[in-house]
Amino acid sequence: MGDVQRVFYFHVASGWVGALAFLVAAVSGGIYLARGKRRWDAVGLASVEIGLAFTLANLISGSVWARPIWNTWWTWDPRLVTASVMELVYVAYLLLRQGIEDPDRRARFGAVYAIVGFLSVPLTFLSIRIFRTIHPVVVGNNDPTAQGTFDMTPPMLQTFFVSLAVFTLLYGVLLWHRVRMQSLAETVEERKLKLLSA
Amino acid sequence: MALEGPAQTFNYMLLGYGVILGCIAVLLASMVARYRSLMRDTRMLDELEAQGKR
Amino acid sequence: MTSGAAPATSSGQRTRGYLRAVGAVLWKDLAAELRSRELLSAMLVFALLVILVFNFALELDLATRQTVTSGVLWVTFAFAGTLGLNRSMAVERDRGCLDGLLLAPVDRSALYFGKALGNLAFMLIIEAIILPVYSLLYNVNLFLPGLLGVVLLGSIGYAAVGTLLSSMAVQARTRDVLLPILLFPVVLPVLIPAVKATNAVLLGLEAAELWPWLNLLIAYDVIFTAAAFMLFDFVVEE
């Protein structure tokens, strides 16, 4: 397969971070609806933004890998479609938030949509899965019809897990900074309002 | 695949890494830009509040 | 409104009160529509126009029709459905009905089920007109029991999610453009199995080909009705 195989480590790691980020957004949406603490809304928004960037990285790097291996930039494979629909769901999430001025309502609607969107992802995957897939399944069971499959040697496995760990750590750091920035943004917003009303 | 030797896909590898790191860089850049503008707002608010008190 | 939340003593009474509240919301929508007919006529004309456009865009001759009928039907239903969902919630908001309904001493979820059933009813009425018209225009028999079942299951899922999302969309500044953007990516797991199952019925495939899609539709309907039932409270909270 050549050097392009090496994209795999970061490709899978960014896909993993994307899915993890959207899961975190759905969970913190649930916590926000239960507790009503604005902090959880900030976590949800931050996680969605980071997830969008990583899912996009996952999609495009997959496309780059597919060009020499599958001889096409894009096929309508379940994983590809699911990832791109997921990306669209969370772009819609940002558009929804943009359209709402009242911060409480924005947080509530964001939480509801993050949960509904996340619930739909596995079903989207299943509904396209019923067709045959050509995406290689490197982790877990192997489908003989997949094209571009390879087995991982121990050093490859080590590299793979290191890159997973590093990307997860990167996600954590980004999330932490983004949440802090959100609370700064909220204080700035409050101070502006106070100044205008004074 | 092992018999015919690895395919020449080095450029695709570079492109793939470029894309992944590029996406992360764009995210970082947007976060830094927003943080800068927030800090600018904070400083402006500080000044305005100080003027208001005087 | 009926006295939906009269002090209930037994659970049976409470269930009856709940059902009465759902019925009242549903009846309000249907009665208002029977009087004005503006929503149904708009949906119907729009749906017919979509079919007309498809006719010329795809050159629906005999060979193409075999493969694209299911897709054309579901795209038509989905577009007409969006129109209906947007309108039915916008009416509530413009006339201040939503506030009135929220003040009524009924469970919020009764409001949801009433609205969802109303939206489902509108969709089914449109489908009940479109299916015979399509059969007539293109000389295909669409009145197969399997197909009617698929249409019903798909419409339930569509209305369940659509009602929740449209009640969020109408409260946003960009409401007219927002609903399809919110709805279509989430409702994709309804549209794909619905199109595939419709195709399987039309091609007369065996039941074994059809069941995976039906199971998926049923799973979606159950999951999303339950989720919308739990989340609707937060959408209308003021």
Side-chain angles (χ1 to χ4, degrees):
Chain A
M1 202 180 291
D3 287 318
V4 78
Q5 184 273 327
R6 290 176 225 278
V7 170
F8 158 81
Y9 303 109
F10 279 18
H11 166 71
V12 176
S14 37
W16 149 253
V17 168
L20 176 71
F22 296 142
L23 172 67
V24 168
V27 170
S28 53
I31 300 177
Y32 174 78
L33 290 181
R35 299 255 178 85
K37 290 262 189 326
R38 188 64 65 72
R39 181 108 202 174
W40 288 105
D41 176 53
V43 174
L45 173 63
S47 204
V48 164
E49 273 182 18
I50 300 168
L52 275 175
F54 278 91
T55 308
L56 191 66
N58 171 257
L59 273 171
I60 305 180
S61 66
S63 192
V64 167
W65 175 85
R67 181 73 190 95
I69 303 301
W70 292 342
N71 210 12
T72 172
W73 292 107
W74 185 260
T75 73
W76 294 98
D77 167 88
R79 286 171 192 238
L80 276 65
V81 178
T82 309
S84 45
V85 169
M86 197 159 76
E87 184 88 358
L88 286 177
V89 167
Y90 291 96
V91 171
Y93 170 94
L94 292 185
L95 289 176
L96 171 68
R97 291 186 71 107
Q98 229 169 45
I100 303 170
E101 259 116 60
D102 178 47
D104 271 328
R105 184 183 285 170
R106 191 193 304 143
R108 265 189 287 121
F109 285 15
V112 168
Y113 195 67
I115 295 171
V116 171
F118 195 76
L119 282 179
S120 79
V121 168
L123 286 164
T124 306
F125 182 74
L126 267 181
S127 65
I128 313 167
R129 183 77 201 234
I130 302 183
F131 302 125
R132 190 170 57 96
T133 172
I134 64 167
H135 193 287
V137 182
V138 178
V139 185
N141 64 319
N142 238 324
D143 183 353
T145 57
Q147 291 174 23
T149 315
F150 52 91
D151 290 320
M152 280 198 278
T153 56
M156 284 166 84
L157 265 179
Q158 282 163 17
T159 320
F160 175 60
F161 281 117
V162 167
S163 70
L164 269 192
V166 169
F167 267 62
T168 311
L169 200 68
L170 180 63
Y171 164 70
V173 173
L174 285 172
L175 185 68
W176 187 70
H177 280 289
R178 183 63 186 81
V179 170
R180 282 193 50 179
M181 196 168 95
Q182 189 63 21
S183 57
L184 177 64
E186 271 164 25
T187 32
V188 167
E189 205 58 34
E190 271 168 35
R191 283 176 68 185
K192 270 185 192 166
L193 281 179
K194 208 186 281 173
L195 206 69
L196 282 176
S197 61
Chain B
M1 206 176 289
L3 289 175
E4 51 195 52
Q8 289 306 310
T9 49
F10 182 75
N11 290 335
Y12 283 109
M13 181 190 86
L14 279 191
L15 184 59
Y17 275 113
V19 162
I20 294 172
L21 298 178
C23 281
I24 298 172
V26 167
L27 177 70
L28 274 176
S30 102
M31 274 172 67
V32 168
R34 280 183 287 177
Y35 184 72
R36 287 241 176 98
S37 98
L38 279 177
M39 289 315 277
R40 204 163 43 234
D41 284 2
T42 316
R43 271 197 302 278
M44 195 184 70
L45 284 167
D46 285 343
E47 270 173 39
L48 285 174
E49 275 169 15
Q51 275 175 10
K53 269 177 198 143
R54 244 183 282 138
Chain C
M1 292 297 298
T2 50
S3 54
T9 42
S10 68
S11 72
Q13 231 170 340
R14 212 178 308 142
T15 316
R16 227 175 308 134
Y18 188 85
L19 288 180
R20 226 179 11 231
V22 173
V25 176
L26 173 62
W27 179 242
K28 174 192 77 67
D29 276 11
L30 292 182
E33 188 51 37
L34 278 179
R35 229 175 295 124
S36 68
R37 290 191 205 90
E38 53 187 10
L39 182 57
L40 275 177
S41 49
M43 280 169 84
L44 187 63
V45 172
F46 181 74
L48 291 174
L49 285 172
V50 172
I51 289 189
L52 192 77
V53 169
F54 269 125
N55 179 51
F56 292 107
L58 296 177
E59 294 285 348
L60 290 176
D61 52 39
L62 201 61
T64 352
R65 237 179 284 153
Q66 283 271 314
T67 49
V68 299
T69 292
S70 54
V72 169
L73 282 176
W74 279 101
V75 169
T76 310
F77 296 157
F79 284 175
T82 327
L83 207 68
L85 286 169
N86 237 341
R87 186 77 197 125
S88 110
M89 276 303 175
V91 165
E92 296 286 351
R93 197 175 152 73
D94 293 346
R95 299 186 191 151
C97 290
L98 208 55
D99 301 327
L101 285 173
L102 290 177
L103 288 175
V106 290
D107 202 280
R108 295 274 164 81
S109 60
L111 195 61
Y112 167 74
F113 281 121
K115 286 306 281 186
L117 284 175
N119 289 329
L120 178 63
F122 290 144
M123 267 193 92
L124 290 178
I125 292 172
I126 295 301
E127 286 158 356
I129 301 172
I130 289 296
L131 285 179
V133 168
Y134 193 95
S135 309
L136 202 92
L137 287 178
Y138 296 107
N139 200 20
V140 274
N141 182 19
L142 294 176
F143 284 89
L144 309 159
L147 193 129
L148 298 182
V150 171
V151 166
L152 180 66
L153 283 176
S155 307
I156 291 175
Y158 191 90
V161 179
T163 306
L164 178 74
L165 295 184
S166 69
S167 45
M168 293 207 292
V170 292
Q171 296 183 56
R173 187 162 35 83
T174 45
R175 52 171 141 157
D176 290 328
V177 290
L178 202 54
L179 179 64
I181 296 173
L182 292 180
L183 183 57
F184 284 159
V186 175
V187 91
L188 203 64
V190 170
L191 293 182
I192 296 169
V195 168
K196 289 292 158 188
T198 309
N199 219 8
V201 174
L202 285 178
L203 295 178
L205 298 180
E206 286 171 45
E209 296 271 329
L210 185 62
W211 270 108
W213 302 115
L214 287 185
N215 285 337
L216 211 59
L217 278 177
I218 294 167
Y220 186 97
D221 289 358
V222 171
I223 293 172
F224 278 86
T225 309
F229 163 71
M230 286 187 283
L231 293 172
F232 189 72
D233 256 13
F234 300 107
V235 169
V236 292
E237 194 174 90
E238 283 309 315

